[in-house]
Amino acid sequence: MQKPDVIVIGAGGGGAVIAKELGELGLCVLVLEAGPWYGNKQWPHPNIEKGGFCSRSVADLDVSLFKESYNKLENNMNDQIAGKLRWGPANRENPPWNRNFQQRGFAWQNSGVGGSTQHYLANSPRAIPSAIERQWPLSYRELIPYYEKVEAELPVEFAPTTSKEELFYYGAKKAGWNLLSTLDVGSPGFRPQPNAILPPNENLLHPAYTEEQLSWMEGCTLAGHCINGCPHGPSVAKIAKRSTNVSYVPLALNTGKVEIRPNTFSYQVITENHPKEGIRATGVKVRNTWTGEKEELFADCIIIAAGAIETPRLWLNSSLPFNPWAGRGLVNHNMDMVTGVFNEIELLPILGTPAVNPFVGHTSGARLDYPGLGSIQIIGTSPGLMASFSYALGHSETKTFHQNSNENAFKTGRVIGKELIELMADYQTSLSILIVTDDEVDQKNNVSIVPATLDEHGAIPSIRYDPTRNTRRKKGKLVKIAADILFQAGARKVIHSHWPDGLMIHIMSTMRMGYVVDENCEALQVSRLFIADNSVLTNGLGGANPTLTTQALATRTAEKIYNKYF
Amino acid sequence: MVISSMSCQWSYTTQLNFMAVVDALIPSSVVTSNCGCTVQYGGVPLSIWEYLLMSIDSLPVPLTEETSQLLDLSAFHIYKKRYPLSFLIYHPHTSQALFSTLSRKDRLRAINLLEKLMVPSDSFPVPYKNNPIIVQIMIDSLYQLTFFGYYSEWFGYGETRIHSPAFSSLRTYPVSWAYTGYPGPSFGYRDFRGFLLKMKDLKQE
Ligand SMILES: Cc1cc2nc3c(=O)[nH]c(=O)nc-3n(C[C@H](O)[C@H](O)[C@H](O)COP(=O)(O)OP(=O)(O)OC[C@H]3O[C@@H](n4cnc5c(N)ncnc54)[C@H](O)[C@@H]3O)c2cc1C
Ligand code: SF4
């Protein structure tokens, strides 16, 4: 490739989108991705051997290879230390990349083309409008055309109802909540998740097709593996769950203007002091994760889309100008989990079947939004993930089940031994709800670097998150709402996991728009340096899952870059 | 009970301690159902202690030996409290696998004391020494990895378990799937119950 017009660092939720948009505008784009590329002929054994160097053709995409890699086994896929979808190099014999934590918890991210959207649940709600108005440098109205564009491109459709959604709707209605028939949420209520998942296969109920045949056709088969990585579809570009490796990446390659290099870690942004533009970005230093070879690459604009931990790390490790908000203001939706266990006999009249079967359907197909508090979202995963996230991840508490004020059996904290075995024996009749708090931005919560602890790419990031008192209050209210819905639906027991505050799943707001970048996502202090990932979000969007908004902004930023510099 | 010991890379005492952790969190037990009584194998016969050892040694800083020592120090703390007048002295070599000598209940207590930071940390091995957050994160990981390993397909990798994950493949039925009723990976389900909302209906508004 000749000198690219633009370099994009990271091919995840935001990076793949901006690469495709700039490619369509006719710019030459080089995408540098730290992790592997699954489903590409250039890397037939992506975890075992170095493979090719780069790919720029959609003809390289191979759905059989893709399905071979994404084999739906949760330990193989989701293990955070050695799984395929982890934060680490392609070679699984090497350890994951290191992070430092200043409180209990961990950061759950993926490296690789597609980034963390490989395991995301594809929940794609718009931000809560009241969280944007007067808090962001942009208005909600300005975002709407970009939301519409991304919703059409992915595409986004409301989740179909399976047993677990049906049970949630039943409980929510009984608890007095209304259905929200909107994408722009202004009042509390429940609704199906707007998901970046293709609608169910039209022949799903047609007995002439086997499930295996259906899994090679277009459309979701309700197989429930979204979190494990969805492999279902006739081609890479038509995989049902629209992670960016199957949505925006094929579209980017289709432009003929985009080249993607996996296994390439960017460890420093190169700048110069320009007489007219001041400090400006000119290039990137990179290291190949298989060979250790280093290289310097140059372009007219540099876009960082490395995610809300690595983007500030890269800024800090590049000795860019001091900014009191660089890395600061981290929010993570201060999450938690609440799980209800049901009796078969009570499920039967509601569902017509005696089971919830959490492994069926979209991993998360329904939600309740409550502007000012956040949201709650049902989750049904494979059993290892369920056991660890519902029952292992809390604090150990001595109390066992007790009757709450309404005489219902309620427990907070970890479950072990006989109690765990019994609860997991009820896996098929359990329903979990994720708590997603509209947490407050606090400058003390941040990603910094630990100069004394280096890995092969420089000082490692250190993560600090301590929720404000108001955030804790909101979370408590959401836990109550979720437990109430489960009890109303007939749960015989409810377990509140009590997750540690430092659990990072929605990682946002570490390079905030209006503080570190301007409303066009260009760094305030470094020209030609843009950011296109979750870190630019000015806040936690009122408790909406972040990716769609990041993608809408990346689409907008592409236009701004093109207009300003090309 | 057959303990598969394919792994000689960890000292026997470290193996004992990790077996003791897994056995405390998920013991083998008798489960009653409509069909009578059955045995549900716990984390030890399903080799989950090996999963823990492999995982913890695959971290950026391998920590199995240090973690085993941490558990012994907590066990020592319990013994010391119980027999205050005795001349118990902790020694990193002679006290190896002290944790595994505790009853199940006491092992849980020892783990809990570490989580609650109630064991003096100045004698902990590096990096745990005076570093309460790392101690707590490791205790959390012991729970999480045990539960995830046990209820996932890991046991099913059979003799390929000890390989690097890129070279392991399912060799046998992951028996824990039977304990939950999980049918395993699927091509699809036909539980389609319609849509509550459609995007096109909103667009028409
Ligand atoms: C289990 C789970 C479920 C989730 N479900 C949802 C959901 O349903 N909806 C939702 O909106 N969000 C969800 N999220 C969050 C979602 O994954 C993120 O919001 C989204 O992926 C963020 O996009 P990003 O571009 O900021 O970062 P990423 O998607 O993480 O992309 C960053 C990319 O940059 C690469 N990279 C990092 N550093 C470098 C470097 N120095 N050099 C080169 N490359 C680098 C990474 O390898 C990665 O590919 C979920 C998260 C988890 C853990
Ligand atoms: S339910 Fe999820 S994993 Fe299954 S086909 Fe649909 S999107 Fe893919």
Side-chain angles (χ1 to χ4, degrees):
Chain A
M1 192 184 215
Q2 81 234 44
K3 182 185 161 204
D5 297 315
V6 176
I7 288 176
V8 179
I9 300 168
V17 174
I18 202 160
K20 173 260 181 190
E21 294 297 334
L22 290 169
E24 280 187 354
L25 289 166
L27 300 189
C28 273
V29 183
L30 173 61
V31 183
L32 308 169
E33 167 52 51
W37 194 340
Y38 296 113
N40 188 306
K41 288 180 201 152
Q42 301 288 334
W43 297 272
H45 307 289
N47 303 120
I48 296 174
E49 58 191 29
K50 169 164 112 358
F53 180 66
C54 68
S55 171
R56 55 173 82 93
S57 164
V58 82
D60 285 343
L61 303 180
D62 181 327
V63 76
S64 296
L65 280 177
F66 189 80
K67 289 181 194 236
E68 212 175 281
S69 283
Y70 275 41
N71 75 355
K72 304 181 270 191
L73 289 164
E74 57 179 334
N75 202 294
N76 181 44
M77 298 308 296
N78 299 107
D79 182 307
Q80 289 182 51
I81 297 172
K84 285 195 175 126
L85 306 182
R86 64 164 183 170
W87 172 241
N91 185 349
R92 293 165 83 189
E93 301 209 9
N94 291 338
W97 287 313
N98 205 358
R99 261 90 187 258
N100 176 272
F101 289 88
Q102 298 177 41
Q103 65 289 304
R104 296 164 83 161
F106 54 86
W108 197 3
Q109 290 179 300
N110 308 151
S111 61
V113 173
S116 307
T117 69
Q118 294 180 94
H119 70 184
Y120 92 148
L121 311 187
N123 307 142
S124 302
R126 298 178 181 183
I128 302 297
S130 57
I132 305 285
E133 297 304 354
R134 286 180 297 282
Q135 304 193 45
W136 282 45
L138 292 175
S139 68
Y140 186 76
R141 185 189 286 268
E142 279 172 277
L143 282 174
I144 288 178
Y146 299 100
Y147 277 138
E148 285 174 346
K149 184 164 185 199
V150 179
E151 283 160 355
E153 203 84 76
L154 282 166
V156 176
E157 180 52 274
F158 285 108
T161 308
T162 65
S163 303
K164 63 183 187 305
E165 289 77 27
E166 182 121 39
L167 185 61
F168 178 77
Y169 299 144
Y170 173 82
K173 270 185 226 157
K174 258 187 93 183
W177 300 99
N178 293 322
L179 173 67
L180 292 178
S181 307
T182 183
L183 295 172
D184 309 304
V185 174
S187 59
F190 68 91
R191 56 184 174 142
Q193 286 274 20
N195 278 346
I197 293 181
L198 299 181
N201 183 314
E202 285 171 2
N203 292 302
L204 189 62
L205 302 181
H206 200 310
Y209 296 94
T210 65
E211 281 94 357
E212 181 165 7
Q213 282 169 328
L214 293 165
S215 78
W216 283 88
M217 293 156 67
E218 189 170 326
C220 170
T221 58
L222 306 180
H225 290 293
C226 319
I227 198 166
N228 313 123
C230 171
H232 295 154
S235 64
V236 171
K238 292 284 179 193
I239 292 290
K241 190 192 81 176
R242 311 300 292 153
S243 307
T244 55
N245 51 335
V246 304
S247 55
Y248 277 87
V249 164
L251 293 171
L253 297 176
N254 265 336
T255 65
K257 305 291 284 182
V258 177
E259 172 177 316
I260 304 179
R261 275 201 215 175
N263 308 313
T264 307
F265 204 106
S266 306
Y267 63 92
Q268 197 180 320
V269 175
I270 304 170
T271 54
E272 66 178 14
N273 208 338
H274 187 266
K276 285 213 187 91
E277 293 182 22
I279 299 177
R280 68 175 193 182
T282 57
V284 192
K285 293 187 185 178
V286 302
R287 177 182 171 278
N288 183 292
T289 63
W290 285 96
T291 62
E293 270 169 65
K294 294 184 172 173
E295 207 182 332
E296 293 187 1
L297 300 162
F298 296 91
D300 293 340
C301 287
I302 308 295
I303 301 167
I304 315 182
I309 296 174
E310 293 300 315
T311 291
R313 175 200 189 190
L314 190 53
W315 175 285
L316 296 168
N317 275 342
S318 303
S319 307
L320 298 180
F322 172 76
N323 180 309
W325 279 95
R328 295 191 169 272
L330 168 68
V331 284
N332 69 357
H333 284 158
N334 197 212
M335 289 185 175
D336 208 332
M337 191 78 103
V338 180
T339 301
V341 183
F342 295 79
N343 287 331
E344 292 181 356
I345 195 146
E346 268 145 50
L347 292 173
L348 204 54
I350 305 169
L351 300 178
T353 51
V356 184
N357 286 339
F359 49 86
V360 173
H362 292 189
T363 298
S364 178
R367 63 189 290 125
L368 179 144
D369 292 284
Y370 194 133
L373 289 185
S375 62
I376 64 173
Q377 314 183 15
I378 60 168
I379 298 272
T381 66
S382 39
L385 288 172
M386 160 133 180
S388 59
F389 281 85
S390 287
Y391 302 136
L393 206 56
H395 295 251
S396 299
E397 319 228 352
T398 39
K399 277 189 246 152
T400 178
F401 281 99
H402 63 279
Q403 310 284 306
N404 68 10
S405 49
N406 303 323
E407 302 282 295
N408 293 316
F410 185 82
K411 177 191 160 84
T412 297
R414 273 192 183 117
V415 185
I416 52 166
K418 187 95 181 140
E419 211 168 57
L420 171 77
I421 288 169
E422 282 171 10
L423 284 171
M424 286 305 294
D426 285 327
Y427 168 65
Q428 289 176 303
T429 53
S430 302
L431 178 65
S432 296
I433 298 183
L434 180 72
I435 305 299
V436 182
T437 313
D438 173 20
D439 55 343
E440 291 182 320
V441 170
D442 180 344
Q443 201 172 8
K444 291 199 289 294
N445 293 331
N446 71 330
V447 174
S448 55
I449 49 169
V450 195
T453 317
L454 302 175
D455 69 7
E456 59 274 34
H457 306 121
I460 66 164
S462 178
I463 298 159
R464 179 188 191 280
Y465 179 82
D466 187 17
T468 65
R469 201 195 302 201
N470 197 23
T471 296
R472 286 185 202 281
R473 182 191 61 81
K474 294 183 192 185
K475 173 161 148 179
K477 286 195 171 173
L478 290 169
V479 168
K480 283 210 177 93
I481 291 172
D484 180 47
I485 289 178
L486 290 166
F487 282 127
Q488 292 288 343
R492 83 167 183 271
K493 290 182 186 172
V494 169
I495 300 92
H496 163 215
S497 308
H498 193 188
W499 283 2
D501 294 319
L503 189 56
M504 301 283 155
I505 290 180
H506 292 166
I507 314 167
M508 302 164 286
S509 194
T510 49
M511 303 290 272
R512 305 173 68 209
M513 185 191 287
Y515 296 80
V516 183
V517 296
D518 65 14
E519 72 280 11
N520 299 331
C521 295
E522 184 169 13
L524 291 167
Q525 296 149 297
V526 185
S527 59
R528 296 175 183 268
L529 183 65
F530 292 81
I531 301 181
D533 59 28
N534 278 3
S535 45
V536 294
L537 306 176
T538 305
N539 58 19
L541 310 172
N545 317 51
T547 313
L548 184 84
T549 302
T550 290
Q551 295 176 325
L553 282 175
T555 307
R556 183 176 182 276
T557 303
E559 271 177 30
K560 304 294 173 190
I561 293 176
Y562 183 76
N563 292 339
K564 182 164 178 189
Y565 290 111
F566 297 95
Chain B
M1 180 169 77
V2 182
I3 295 172
S4 62
S5 194
M6 304 166 290
S7 38
C8 306
Q9 66 204 84
W10 297 283
S11 71
Y12 189 58
T13 47
T14 299
Q15 295 185 38
L16 284 177
N17 269 356
F18 277 87
M19 284 183 215
V21 167
V22 163
D23 176 74
L25 302 187
I26 312 186
S28 289
S29 31
V30 173
V31 184
T32 44
S33 67
N34 304 343
C35 330
C37 287
T38 47
V39 175
Q40 174 162 335
Y41 295 108
V44 173
L46 295 200
S47 300
I48 301 308
W49 53 280
E50 282 183 311
Y51 174 63
L52 247 61
L53 286 165
M54 286 178 70
S55 299
I56 294 171
D57 265 355
S58 303
L59 292 171
V61 183
L63 281 176
T64 47
E65 296 295 335
E66 295 78 358
T67 306
S68 183
Q69 217 178 315
L70 194 66
L71 294 163
D72 288 338
L73 279 159
S74 189
F76 178 75
H77 187 74
I78 288 180
Y79 277 119
K80 195 81 190 162
K81 279 261 151 79
R82 190 158 301 159
Y83 309 109
L85 298 177
S86 69
F87 292 98
L88 279 174
I89 295 176
Y90 176 83
H91 188 277
H93 289 293
T94 53
S95 309
Q96 278 176 8
L98 193 64
F99 174 78
S100 70
T101 66
L102 295 173
S103 68
R104 258 188 205 142
K105 202 165 158 214
D106 280 341
R107 274 177 270 152
L108 289 174
R109 235 186 100 209
I111 295 172
N112 206 17
L113 288 176
L114 288 168
E115 179 185 340
K116 299 268 159 25
L117 308 177
M118 286 160 76
V119 185
S121 71
D122 48 345
S123 54
F124 287 174
V126 177
Y128 296 121
K129 195 179 167 81
N130 301 323
N131 199 336
I133 297 301
I134 298 199
V135 173
Q136 288 178 320
I137 288 178
M138 179 50 74
I139 299 302
D140 290 345
S141 304
L142 292 179
Y143 283 96
Q144 234 210 319
L145 289 167
T146 302
F147 289 22
F148 182 60
Y150 182 81
Y151 282 108
S152 73
E153 81 281 4
W154 196 77
F155 175 73
Y157 290 120
E159 73 280 7
T160 70
R161 249 180 251 139
I162 47 158
H163 298 159
S164 151
F167 296 95
S168 56
S169 57
L170 274 196
R171 291 303 162 101
T172 176
Y173 176 71
V175 37
S176 68
W177 286 356
Y179 301 154
T180 60
Y182 180 60
S186 148
F187 289 113
Y189 295 105
R190 307 198 196 237
D191 186 24
F192 174 57
R193 296 163 177 247
F195 286 98
L196 199 56
L197 284 180
K198 290 286 281 179
M199 287 288 261
K200 68 173 183 344
D201 301 335
L202 300 190
K203 298 264 152 73
Q204 280 164 3
E205 276 169 12

